[in-house]
Amino acid sequence: MGHLPKLIEDLALILIVAAFVVIIFRKIKQPLVLGYIIAGFLVSPNLNIFPSVVDSANIKTLAEIGVIFLLFSLGLEFSFKKLMNVGGSASVTAFVEIIFITIAGYYTGRWLGWSIMDSMFLGGMLASSSTTIIIRAFDELGVKTRNFAKTVFGVLVVEDIVVILLMVLLSTIAVTKEFEGTQILFTVVKLLFFLILWFLLGIFLVPTLLKKIKPLVDDEILLILSIGLCLGMVLIAVNVGFSAELGAFVMGSIIAETTVAEKVEHTLKSVKDLFAAVFFVSVGMMIDYEAMITYAWPIFIVTILTIVGKLFSSALGALISGQPLKQSIQVGMSMAQIGEFAFIVATLGLSLGVISDFLFPVAVGVSAITTFTTPYLIKLSEPFYSWLVRVVPPKYIEKINRYSSNTQNIQAENSWKTILTSYVRIIVINGIIIMAIYLLFANFIIPAINDNLESNSLKNIIGNALPVLFILPFLWALMVKRPNSVAYRELWTKTKYSRGPLLIIEIIRFSIGIGILGFFLDRFASTTISFFITIPVAIVLMVIFSNRLNKFYSRIESRFITNLNDRAEMGDAQAVTTLAGTSNIKESLAAWDVHIIELEVKPLAEYIGKSLVDLQWREKYGINIGYIRRGGKLIHTPDRYQVLMPYDKVGIIATDDQFQIFKEVFDSQEVIEEENIDHIKLGKILINHHSPKKGLTIQESGIRDKTDGLVIAIRRGDERILNPESSEILQLDDIVWVVGNRKKIEKLNVEI
């Protein structure tokens, strides 16, 4: 018998124990993540009751792969457009909560006597709430469609990206041991530069590649290709100086914008689930129950900090963003827990060797406790609000509500804001592309040219001309391209006092372009003469070939926008259009706790086919219908004679209280007794001497009506008549084959 590697034995032990534990957890309706962690604890060397894992090093490698797939899958669910669609209230809430709880976590760690790195990683561990736990709690409590739930989901989206950035910062600080503000600021700028660059290049290249090879790709090849792209981006991120997790997340978010995103997510799910299970089991293997007992007091303190701190900071952020007091409290009491990211952050710290081992049991203990408290906190949010209203003086409640109303009534957009945003976008995007071209030439192309060419004149010509030619379209866009918006034309033509500031902006960005060109030539030009010759030549070329540069840049821009919107055209565009079409309604009604909830018409709903004027929902329940989405068709503000059809998506405009009453009406269906397929029988009826059906046609006999069935054949002696006509006359000794209701066929046989 051959030798079996220990890794296979360990995997068998891990997966069998994990399977049994998570089955128990599913039975008691608890998060599976905790089940995996407990399974890891059971098979760890720290617990000698059961067989334990031997080859911990290989399990650790598999766990690292699990983290990569977890972050890749998170990126697939993320989507940059989803981040752009997150409302300002959710963004403000998320940043207030993250800043508060991260700083509070750091100082709590220092108060407990922990090291600087332990305290910093504690703050990072507390920065993110658990999406899995919150969604499960919302589903169980039936509050997923409430107004505050939308804010919570928006906060979770922002938290995901911010915690990814925090992980990069923590790993950079851990490696460099630099705590100065300048170094941290440089890391943030470098991180944002590479994130935007990867996003631009990824959206430009990856969807194009996938569309070109689409006829050749099946599920197997798509799985291999997506994993390859993920690991490729991981290598790039690590070589640039960032974490593997960031690379996996970025590639996932790029693929999330393609038309194959759902297919990749579905294809990858089994692989992700397997390695994620190994990761969470490995987390459990690191738990030392003696350490948990030893650090019971810190676990208790951090748990209180998590519940109270995240509740307070989330509610405060929601209030600052202009949410009503009741909704702010509901948001705060929903966010008071930590989840999967806490384990990933702790794993990062341990892998870098910069944090103490006790942080893991602290994270697990806090996560376990807050998992169980979350549903109760959400359930108690309304009673807590009612108690608070009774306790707090009415004048303060009135001030808070007035602030909320005034904040939400502020005009969200104005002409100058739109134009300045467009200018910043043009300058930043093209500036980053130009900087990427510079890095490419400085680090790879120019050194290769210098190594392979002997002529100094040729080196100078290529060194001057080639980088400038590459940056010319993007330099032209940075210096000349104007925002293509109605707001710009209105300010220029209708408001004469706006022309001066607009001209100043044009001069500033033209000067930035000249500065960038000078920077390029200073780095690549070998003589002062070539420096002063190339700048005028480049400007002349931009003037002469302005139309061609415009067309070339427009093609690049069009390709990027097409790739970015490909997925939207296959499904997401309907939701985006719906949001765009109803945004004005949302803004004007937000101060009264009115929001839009999309519901699907059930196929057996009682109101199907009835006009809105006949239903009188507005008069009876105070709700309005903002839109009806029927397949690819969007019906804005439907008129009173519009009818609802099965599977229509209906945008209901209502307050939470109105919606709770109306939801029962909307979900009501016709009561139809569901019949089991076992009730259907292929039976036979004999026409004998006593049968009253003898001599009658099939239609006259009423067999079909009495059996709720269909006559499919008649056997007459040796003759077989298949699918007989209804005019066929039944004769003596005929055997009639009928498919119909079992009981009715048996009853008819008795009667005959």
Side-chain angles (χ1 to χ4, degrees):
M1 182 176 177
H3 174 68
L4 191 65
K6 289 294 181 184
L7 175 62
I8 297 178
E9 295 179 14
D10 291 338
L11 271 178
L13 176 64
I14 284 174
L15 296 179
I16 290 172
V17 174
F20 279 105
V21 173
V22 295
I23 287 172
I24 296 171
F25 269 65
R26 174 153 287 173
K27 179 70 175 176
I28 62 177
K29 296 182 179 179
Q30 295 302 320
L32 301 188
V33 171
L34 286 179
Y36 288 126
I37 292 172
I38 290 175
F41 175 66
L42 293 176
V43 299
S44 69
N46 297 322
L47 190 70
N48 296 321
I49 300 175
F50 300 99
S52 60
V53 169
V54 178
D55 193 354
S56 299
N58 281 330
I59 298 298
K60 184 178 178 182
T61 301
L62 292 176
E64 290 175 0
I65 297 174
V67 174
I68 289 173
F69 283 131
L70 272 175
L71 271 296
F72 183 53
S73 299
L74 182 64
L76 286 172
E77 299 170 3
F78 173 74
S79 168
F80 282 94
K81 284 204 290 290
K82 187 186 291 185
L83 180 62
M84 287 184 262
N85 288 330
V86 169
S89 61
S91 301
V92 171
T93 304
F95 281 109
V96 170
E97 181 232 335
I98 290 170
I99 292 170
F100 178 91
I101 200 67
T102 302
I103 294 174
Y106 172 78
Y107 282 106
T108 299
R110 298 297 290 160
W111 176 69
L112 289 169
W114 298 354
S115 68
I116 291 178
M117 292 307 302
D118 285 342
S119 302
M120 291 179 69
F121 272 83
L122 174 64
M125 287 160 53
L126 301 182
S128 177
S129 300
S130 174
T131 305
T132 305
I133 295 168
I134 290 173
I135 290 177
R136 181 180 65 87
F138 280 2
D139 283 337
E140 290 178 356
L141 299 174
V143 298
K144 206 170 183 179
T145 55
R146 301 284 289 274
N147 202 9
F148 78 90
K150 295 184 178 180
T151 303
V152 171
F153 291 140
V155 171
L156 291 171
V157 171
V158 178
E159 276 188 348
D160 287 342
I161 186 66
V162 172
V163 173
I164 294 290
L165 302 183
L166 270 178
M167 288 173 60
V168 175
L169 285 177
L170 287 172
S171 60
T172 303
I173 292 171
V175 172
T176 61
K177 306 295 182 183
E178 295 285 348
F179 300 96
E180 290 83 2
T182 306
Q183 179 66 29
I184 294 175
L185 180 62
F186 173 75
T187 302
V188 171
V189 172
K190 177 184 173 184
L191 174 61
L192 292 176
F193 169 78
F194 279 104
L195 277 176
I196 297 173
L197 177 63
W198 287 338
F199 172 66
L200 294 174
L201 291 178
I203 295 298
F204 187 78
L205 297 174
V206 173
T208 303
L209 169 67
L210 293 174
K211 281 188 284 188
K212 294 288 185 184
I213 64 175
K214 186 177 180 180
L216 307 173
V217 174
D218 57 11
D219 287 352
E220 178 184 353
I221 297 176
L222 185 63
L223 175 65
I224 294 170
L225 178 62
S226 58
I227 293 176
L229 290 172
C230 169
L231 297 180
M233 184 58 81
V234 165
L235 289 175
I236 294 173
V238 171
N239 288 327
V240 171
F242 297 124
S243 64
E245 292 81 5
L246 177 67
F249 179 81
V250 168
M251 181 50 68
S253 60
I254 290 171
I255 294 179
E257 307 297 347
T258 67
T259 57
V260 298
E262 287 85 0
K263 194 172 183 180
V264 170
E265 191 175 350
H266 174 73
T267 307
L268 189 73
K269 187 177 184 303
S270 299
V271 179
K272 184 261 293 185
D273 289 343
L274 172 63
F275 284 102
V278 175
F279 166 69
F280 288 118
V281 169
S282 71
V283 169
M285 289 169 57
M286 297 180 191
I287 298 174
D288 186 348
Y289 65 91
E290 293 181 354
M292 291 190 74
I293 296 172
T294 304
Y295 289 92
W297 177 242
I299 290 174
F300 174 76
I301 292 174
V302 176
T303 300
I304 297 300
L305 172 66
T306 301
I307 295 174
V308 177
K310 290 177 81 71
L311 189 159
F312 171 76
S313 57
S314 299
L316 178 64
L319 276 176
I320 292 173
S321 70
Q323 299 298 306
L325 178 60
K326 180 180 179 181
Q327 189 170 315
S328 300
I329 290 173
Q330 289 172 320
V331 170
M333 296 184 77
S334 300
M335 303 293 297
Q337 79 290 125
I338 61 172
E340 302 83 6
F341 260 117
F343 308 134
I344 296 175
V345 173
T347 302
L348 175 65
L350 285 178
S351 65
L352 294 172
V354 295
I355 65 171
S356 305
D357 293 339
F358 66 77
L359 270 186
F360 237 108
V362 169
V364 173
V366 174
S367 176
I369 296 170
T370 55
T371 294
F372 292 113
T373 59
T374 295
Y376 299 103
L377 287 173
I378 297 172
K379 193 181 297 183
L380 291 172
S381 59
E382 290 195 31
F384 180 72
Y385 165 75
S386 301
W387 172 82
L388 200 62
V389 170
R390 291 195 302 270
V391 172
V392 176
K395 62 179 182 179
Y396 295 114
I397 300 294
E398 184 181 347
K399 285 182 179 180
I400 292 172
N401 290 333
R402 192 183 306 120
Y403 170 79
S404 171
S405 178
N406 292 337
T407 302
Q408 295 188 16
N409 284 332
I410 293 175
Q411 182 65 27
E413 292 286 338
N414 58 59
S415 298
W416 271 111
K417 181 179 178 182
T418 304
I419 287 174
L420 290 175
T421 302
S422 299
Y423 271 122
V424 169
R425 187 182 298 118
I426 290 171
I427 293 171
V428 169
I429 290 176
N430 290 285
I432 286 175
I433 294 174
I434 291 170
M435 183 57 66
I437 293 173
Y438 163 74
L439 293 173
L440 180 66
F441 272 90
N443 294 304
F444 300 101
I445 297 178
I446 296 299
I449 291 172
N450 292 334
D451 291 341
N452 292 285
L453 291 179
E454 297 181 358
S455 171
N456 289 328
S457 300
L458 194 58
K459 288 180 183 179
N460 290 335
I461 293 172
I462 295 175
N464 288 336
L466 202 58
V468 173
L469 286 175
F470 268 81
I471 70 168
L472 213 53
F474 309 103
L475 190 64
W476 171 88
L478 187 148
M479 297 170 67
V480 179
K481 182 178 173 60
R482 288 181 179 175
N484 185 20
S485 66
V486 177
Y488 182 89
R489 291 191 291 273
E490 286 182 352
L491 282 177
W492 183 263
T493 58
K494 296 181 181 180
T495 312
K496 62 180 181 179
Y497 298 107
S498 299
R499 294 185 181 182
L502 288 174
L503 285 173
I504 292 173
I505 293 174
E506 295 291 344
I507 293 170
I508 290 173
R509 68 175 182 147
F510 188 84
S511 302
I512 292 173
I514 296 296
I516 290 174
L517 187 58
F519 172 80
F520 258 67
L521 295 175
D522 180 60
R523 289 292 184 271
F524 299 125
S526 58
T527 64
T528 306
I529 296 175
S530 61
F531 181 89
F532 286 107
I533 291 175
T534 309
I535 288 182
V537 169
I539 295 174
V540 170
L541 286 175
M542 281 195 289
V543 173
I544 294 174
F545 296 103
S546 177
N547 290 333
R548 292 190 178 183
L549 288 172
N550 185 20
K551 290 180 181 178
F552 179 74
Y553 185 85
S554 296
R555 284 202 301 270
I556 295 175
E557 189 177 47
S558 176
R559 170 67 64 83
F560 178 84
I561 293 172
T562 300
N563 288 347
L564 186 63
N565 292 328
D566 264 351
R567 185 180 179 188
E569 292 171 3
M570 294 189 65
D572 282 358
Q574 297 170 351
V576 171
T577 305
T578 297
L579 289 171
T582 57
S583 60
N584 292 332
I585 300 174
K586 284 183 176 181
E587 289 171 8
S588 61
L589 298 178
W592 290 276
D593 191 32
V594 173
H595 58 116
I596 296 180
I597 307 139
E598 186 174 276
L599 300 176
E600 185 177 83
V601 176
K602 292 182 170 56
L604 297 176
E606 296 176 344
Y607 48 81
I608 287 176
K610 296 180 181 179
S611 65
L612 299 180
V613 67
D614 292 333
L615 294 174
Q616 292 191 318
W617 284 344
R618 181 177 183 178
E619 292 77 8
K620 294 178 181 177
Y621 307 103
I623 64 95
N624 289 277
I625 294 180
Y627 63 87
I628 299 173
R629 191 146 53 94
R630 185 171 295 153
K633 182 181 179 182
L634 182 65
I635 305 170
H636 284 285
T637 55
D639 60 43
R640 56 201 310 234
Y641 300 108
Q642 188 64 243
V643 298
L644 296 177
M645 305 300 291
Y647 303 109
D648 278 353
K649 303 288 196 314
V650 183
I652 307 296
I653 305 173
T655 65
D656 282 340
D657 293 336
Q658 290 170 337
F659 179 71
Q660 292 306 310
I661 298 171
F662 175 71
K663 192 173 186 301
E664 295 182 9
V665 177
F666 191 88
D667 290 341
S668 62
Q669 300 187 75
E670 293 182 29
V671 179
I672 297 177
E673 185 179 351
E674 184 178 348
E675 292 194 24
N676 193 297
I677 193 171
D678 294 338
H679 296 162
I680 306 300
K681 173 186 178 181
L682 174 61
K684 54 187 178 180
I685 298 171
L686 176 64
I687 308 297
N688 55 29
H689 291 284
H690 307 290
S691 175
K693 312 298 182 185
K694 182 177 64 175
L696 301 177
T697 64
I698 293 175
Q699 183 177 2
E700 293 170 341
S701 69
I703 290 177
R704 289 184 295 192
D705 297 331
K706 292 181 179 180
T707 61
D708 291 338
L710 177 68
V711 177
I712 61 169
I714 298 175
R715 181 175 178 180
R716 185 171 293 158
D718 294 331
E719 182 185 4
R720 289 178 176 81
I721 305 172
L722 297 177
N723 301 318
E725 300 290 339
S726 60
S727 58
E728 182 71 33
I729 298 175
L730 300 177
Q731 299 180 14
L732 179 65
D733 295 330
D734 278 353
I735 298 175
V736 182
W737 291 88
V738 182
V739 175
N741 186 287
R742 176 187 298 273
K743 292 182 179 179
K744 292 185 177 182
I745 292 175
E746 293 171 354
K747 181 180 178 182
L748 186 61
N749 262 320
V750 173
E751 293 176 356
I752 291 178

